[in-house]
Amino acid sequence: MTPQQYVQQRAAASGSSFYYAFLFLPAPRRAAITAFYAFCREVDDVVDEVGDPGVARSKLAWWQAEVAQAYAGQPSHPAMRALMPHTADYGIEQRQLQAVIDGCRMDLTQTRYLDFSGLEDYCHLVAGVVGEVTARIFGQTEECTTQYAHKLGLAFQLTNIIRDVGEDAMRGRVYLPLSELQQFDVKTHELLARQYSGRFRALMHFQSERAHRLYEQALALLPGADRRAQKPGLMMASIYRTLLHEIERANFQVLHQRIRLTPLRKFWLAWKVQALGRM
């Protein structure tokens, strides 16, 4: 299997909303974003799938060294071998890949966040930097598009946090800020016990309203000159906001299940942005 086949298989198998946006890109950009996504998936899976924290830390250290080695001209992992030919063309920097690894490492050392400011710092590494890289691959021409990408990445990550509250709690992680849990009088043990209440739903409504505001702020930051090039990001925004609406319609029943969109619906939402230019 070639590195290109490996990353394509990795992206397709994930079922991620990102994959549907990739389909509409020209071949060179699609190859670059698929390889970058595979790298992110590899690093993220270290935290999610390795039960022993010590082993996970060792694996992340290996990835840190692999990225440095790849930028020195000697990549060994198929994801890095697929990605490196595109780094110069799209301005993908080593610091950005290392930042993604640093964000994943935080999941091994920090399972609670005191306030939203602290959560934002984490989201910047695991989502804002990812948005920064993808915007460049999509064809960014305006410097201020980076601000849009960071804001949109934060909105995506908050949507993920809302969707995965139950799953994350079972892994011992609570990304909802402790100050906001206290504000709505929701206890951590209630999340672990999958206990729904009016207090929990009020808390989740507060989270979803923040995410919606961030989507609006991100779209307002996107300069007109880059709107066409950034269509893949707008496709993902359409898919993620639709998912958020579905979670709201389900009355935030996220403690015992992961609410999903079907592949066909994701493809339809992406196609609508591509063909009609609207979300």
Side-chain angles (χ1 to χ4, degrees):
M1 182 184 294
T2 67
Q4 291 71 29
Q5 290 170 330
Y6 176 87
V7 296
Q8 175 63 33
Q9 185 179 82
R10 199 79 165 83
S14 72
S16 167
S17 301
F18 289 77
Y19 177 70
Y20 295 88
F22 302 168
L23 298 175
F24 296 92
L25 283 167
R29 297 187 190 278
R30 186 168 66 248
I33 195 67
T34 301
F36 176 63
Y37 176 80
F39 161 78
C40 294
R41 187 79 268 146
E42 293 283 348
V43 174
D44 190 59
D45 282 353
V46 169
V47 176
D48 287 343
E49 297 180 0
V50 177
D52 185 325
V55 174
R57 279 191 288 272
S58 295
K59 284 181 174 289
L60 289 179
W62 182 90
W63 271 106
Q64 189 174 31
E66 166 67 5
V67 169
Q69 184 175 297
Y71 275 84
Q74 295 180 307
S76 62
H77 193 279
M80 293 306 300
R81 290 168 59 197
L83 178 60
M84 291 311 296
H86 304 287
T87 54
D89 289 341
Y90 301 113
I92 304 170
E93 302 173 24
Q94 180 180 171
R95 66 167 181 85
Q96 295 167 320
L97 304 190
Q98 297 287 6
V100 173
I101 297 171
D102 288 341
C104 291
R105 187 181 289 109
M106 285 181 69
D107 280 328
L108 300 176
T109 59
Q110 186 167 355
T111 59
R112 303 288 190 276
Y113 291 88
L114 179 61
D115 53 27
F116 183 65
S117 176
L119 180 63
E120 269 190 302
D121 292 340
Y122 164 76
C123 291
H124 172 72
L125 294 175
V126 298
V129 173
V130 172
E132 180 182 317
V133 173
T134 56
R136 292 182 184 182
I137 294 172
F138 293 157
Q140 173 181 351
T141 62
E142 300 288 331
E143 187 62 33
C144 56
T145 297
T146 299
Q147 295 176 305
Y148 145 83
H150 285 164
K151 191 75 70 174
L152 191 60
L154 177 58
F156 289 162
Q157 190 64 23
L158 292 186
T159 303
N160 285 338
I161 287 170
I162 292 167
R163 179 196 63 193
D164 296 340
V165 167
E167 286 185 14
D168 288 333
M170 295 305 293
R171 289 174 173 151
R173 302 179 201 153
V174 178
Y175 294 102
L176 302 175
L178 294 177
S179 61
E180 294 170 9
L181 287 170
Q182 293 171 353
Q183 179 183 339
F184 289 90
D185 193 28
V186 175
K187 307 296 190 292
T188 301
H189 72 80
E190 294 175 317
L191 304 181
L192 290 169
R194 299 176 176 177
Q195 293 178 0
Y196 292 100
S197 64
R199 293 172 288 107
F200 172 75
R201 292 185 176 91
L203 168 65
M204 298 308 291
H205 181 74
F206 178 83
Q207 304 300 321
S208 68
E209 286 297 307
R210 172 190 281 144
H212 282 301
R213 286 196 302 273
L214 287 164
Y215 282 113
E216 292 300 326
Q217 292 167 9
L219 295 174
L221 287 169
L222 178 59
D226 271 356
R227 186 174 180 85
R228 183 178 181 84
Q230 297 301 316
K231 267 189 178 182
L234 298 177
M235 293 175 193
M236 290 186 284
S238 179
I239 293 170
Y240 267 76
R241 284 198 90 173
T242 300
L243 172 62
L244 188 56
H245 286 307
E246 286 299 313
I247 293 170
E248 291 166 341
R249 275 192 279 271
N251 204 18
F252 300 105
Q253 295 280 313
V254 292
L255 292 177
H256 69 289
Q257 64 180 341
R258 173 184 278 204
I259 296 173
R260 292 179 169 91
L261 303 180
T262 65
L264 182 60
R265 192 172 183 191
K266 290 178 183 178
F267 181 81
W268 162 249
L269 291 166
W271 179 86
K272 190 165 65 171
V273 174
Q274 175 67 19
L276 305 179
R278 67 171 185 267
M279 295 171 59

